[in-house]
Amino acid sequence: MTSEVHADYGPHFSPDRFAAGKSAQDEVRAQTYRKLRQHYQFLEQVLSENGGASYLGKRTVVDAYLYVLTRWIDGTPLELSEFASLASFRRQLESETEILEALRRQDMAL
């Protein structure tokens, strides 16, 4: 997740680091969203194959990171609803007291 998905968010957050001019930056972002869609399709598949409640079939730190990625998608043209298992995973985590407390401490909304 870190070496591919996280890294491929770079052009989304800072397109000016990858291209000069609006039209070039728009193309960089379009390519970025195509890559991210492929990543989310893969994450969806793995999560689904492992039962949907955790990425590796049991709760690990990877699930916390996957939760962050399910929040990042909200800032893109992609829709989490396209990925049923990821959307369900996020809803489940957001029903947990610890997640709600962490979001509250950081002044982050659901």
Side-chain angles (χ1 to χ4, degrees):
M1 287 181 213
T2 58
S3 64
E4 293 180 13
V5 185
H6 188 128
D8 281 342
Y9 263 97
H12 165 74
F13 290 120
S14 300
D16 56 313
R17 292 182 58 214
F18 299 88
K22 183 175 177 356
S23 64
Q25 290 174 9
D26 288 346
E27 180 52 38
V28 165
R29 278 194 165 162
Q31 178 62 27
T32 295
Y33 301 136
R34 286 190 289 272
K35 285 181 183 178
L36 289 174
R37 180 178 304 285
Q38 291 173 342
H39 291 314
Y40 280 103
Q41 288 169 337
F42 179 77
L43 295 170
E44 171 76 10
Q45 178 184 343
V46 172
L47 182 64
S48 180
E49 288 172 355
N50 285 313
S54 62
Y55 191 73
L56 299 174
K58 63 179 181 174
R59 186 65 66 90
T60 69
V61 68
V62 172
D63 296 303
Y65 194 62
L66 181 58
Y67 173 72
V68 170
L69 294 176
T70 66
R71 289 183 57 90
W72 281 7
I73 199 172
D74 292 348
T76 74
L78 304 176
E79 295 287 334
L80 186 61
S81 62
E82 296 178 43
F83 310 100
S85 293
L86 289 169
S88 177
F89 170 82
R90 178 171 161 180
R91 281 190 305 274
Q92 173 58 40
L93 264 64
E94 288 178 341
S95 72
E96 296 179 9
T97 305
E98 297 83 3
I99 298 293
L100 294 172
E101 178 62 17
L103 292 172
R104 185 193 66 74
R105 285 183 180 184
Q106 297 177 67
D107 289 327
M108 296 174 76
L110 283 180

